[in-house]
Amino acid sequence: MKTAVKNTLMILILMLGYTSITHGQDALCLSQKENLSVIESYDIEVTFDKTSHLIFPSVIRYVDLGSTNLVASKADDAGNVLRVKAAVRDFKEETNFSVITEDGTFYSFNASYNSCPRVTNYSLTKIQKSNCEWNSKQVFFKELGKNAPHLVDELMGEIYKQNKHFIKQIGTRKFGIEFLLKGIYIDDDKFYFHTQIKNSSFVSFPIDFINFKVVDKKKAKRTVVQEVIKHPIRVYKSLDEVHGKTVSRNVFVLDQFTIADDKLLRLEFHEKNGSRLQVLEIKNSHLLKSKLVKKQHTAEDLE
């Protein structure tokens, strides 16, 4: 009898323990669900005979389609415009697609078929984002590490807006082109190079490509010159051409680095179909004197 009672008590204890664990797990799952931010999807209609266009506030970086019923591609020469249409006629089930833009924002869309959609062009450039919504949609890129893309963009914009010129000795002037390094800034292990090109001639200066590379100060004859290319991971604005009698500025973001005293950092702007190469030479001492970006607070920031 005693043995039976003891076994019954043991079973009850185990059942109570299992129930408490189950309830605890349910409570934990519920708590986790409450902490999740739901990203609302935008509803659009697509068709086979017409193309829908979506205009984003930033350049498109990534697109993923939910099914083969859709086809999509970036518009030629317009990095922030996405073309979407149905790949087959009259598909029945709703599908979806996602877009990530260079400012680190994630967008989600539900797409359904309509043979005659009322709207085919959509603009997302004026969408108002609350702080909570913005944070829930932020995507971090590998090359930026723990730096949120929109914060890096804000720093580049601040440097561009303030337009300070505290490096006076790094510049060149030839072929009617004045090329200056106006400043070097640093923030969270990232260098920000602020440059300016002034075209004093009426002949436009089309840019083929831009190089940041570490080279030896003294290039001895009959020796192989070691060059290390440094790739910008972020650029404030695309720079394809400096038209005649205009001034163009830009900000380039590179990972933090230093160079030996017997080497230089060469910043080169190569002309497309021309020979007006523009070169700036930057010493390690200039890198070490880089300044922190001081953000100017507006009235809206202080509210």
Side-chain angles (χ1 to χ4, degrees):
M1 184 69 180
K2 291 182 179 180
T3 303
V5 171
K6 186 182 296 184
N7 290 338
T8 303
L9 288 174
M10 287 294 295
I11 291 171
L12 288 173
I13 291 171
L14 289 173
M15 290 178 63
L16 287 172
Y18 176 78
T19 303
S20 63
I21 291 173
T22 304
H23 286 172
Q25 289 176 340
D26 290 341
L28 180 61
C29 290
L30 180 61
S31 174
Q32 289 174 338
K33 289 179 180 178
E34 290 176 349
N35 290 330
L36 292 176
S37 297
V38 177
I39 299 177
E40 298 294 337
S41 297
Y42 302 100
D43 295 322
I44 74 166
E45 295 177 331
V46 295
T47 188
F48 185 81
D49 296 314
K50 294 181 181 180
T51 300
S52 297
H53 290 84
L54 289 82
I55 304 174
F56 294 88
S58 182
V59 173
I60 298 164
R61 178 171 177 137
Y62 166 89
V63 178
D64 181 73
L65 302 179
S67 77
T68 57
N69 290 332
L70 296 177
V71 290
S73 63
K74 287 196 291 185
D76 297 337
D77 300 324
N80 67 323
V81 178
L82 184 69
R83 299 180 295 195
V84 183
K85 66 183 303 183
V88 296
R89 295 181 185 274
D90 300 316
F91 65 81
K92 301 301 181 184
E93 294 184 358
E94 183 182 78
T95 184
N96 73 327
F97 64 96
S98 304
V99 176
I100 298 175
T101 53
E102 282 289 350
D103 62 0
T105 308
F106 179 90
Y107 298 88
S108 177
F109 300 88
N110 291 324
S112 57
Y113 190 90
N114 188 335
S115 59
C116 190
R118 186 174 60 87
V119 178
T120 56
N121 299 313
Y122 303 83
S123 175
L124 295 94
T125 58
K126 295 184 179 180
I127 294 175
Q128 298 295 321
K129 301 182 178 68
S130 66
N131 289 334
C132 180
E133 182 183 2
W134 176 266
N135 291 333
S136 70
K137 291 187 176 183
Q138 273 294 284
V139 176
F140 288 81
F141 299 141
K142 181 179 179 180
E143 70 271 16
L144 294 179
K146 61 182 179 180
N147 300 275
H150 80 279
L151 294 178
V152 175
D153 291 343
E154 286 180 7
L155 289 179
M156 289 193 293
E158 194 69 30
I159 292 169
Y160 189 89
K161 180 176 67 177
Q162 293 182 14
N163 192 21
K164 294 182 178 180
H165 188 186
F166 63 84
I167 296 181
K168 304 296 183 182
Q169 65 271 39
I170 301 180
T172 181
R173 183 181 299 170
K174 57 183 179 180
F175 309 121
I177 305 292
E178 183 184 67
F179 186 24
L180 300 175
L181 179 65
K182 304 194 74 172
I184 305 175
Y185 300 84
I186 192 166
D187 181 82
D188 210 355
D189 299 331
K190 297 288 182 289
F191 278 131
Y192 294 73
F193 293 84
H194 183 202
T195 65
Q196 175 178 294
I197 294 183
K198 180 179 180 181
N199 189 351
S200 300
S201 72
F202 288 103
V203 181
S204 64
F205 182 75
I207 297 172
D208 190 11
F209 61 93
I210 301 166
N211 263 343
F212 285 79
K213 59 184 180 181
V214 178
V215 301
D216 294 332
K217 279 185 180 179
K218 297 180 179 179
K219 299 179 181 179
K221 294 182 178 180
R222 299 179 182 177
T223 60
V224 177
V225 179
Q226 295 293 326
E227 297 181 347
V228 179
I229 303 296
K230 299 291 184 180
H231 299 283
I233 57 177
R234 205 82 170 171
V235 181
Y236 183 62
K237 61 177 185 177
S238 60
L239 184 57
D240 301 320
E241 186 172 7
V242 183
H243 297 283
K245 299 296 182 178
T246 62
V247 177
S248 181
R249 294 186 292 112
N250 214 336
V251 181
F252 300 88
V253 182
L254 283 80
D255 281 319
Q256 177 184 305
F257 62 94
T258 57
I259 55 179
D261 290 336
D262 62 342
K263 295 184 181 295
L264 293 168
L265 175 66
R266 281 172 60 97
L267 174 50
E268 302 175 344
F269 276 51
H270 292 257
E271 183 183 17
K272 187 175 183 179
N273 299 323
S275 57
R276 291 181 293 175
L277 173 65
Q278 302 296 313
V279 179
L280 297 179
E281 294 186 340
I282 304 164
K283 299 178 181 178
N284 188 57
S285 58
H286 296 124
L287 297 177
L288 296 178
K289 292 178 182 178
S290 57
K291 295 186 176 182
L292 292 173
V293 185
K294 294 183 179 180
K295 185 174 181 179
Q296 295 180 349
H297 294 284
T298 62
E300 293 181 359
D301 296 329
L302 297 175
E303 289 180 355

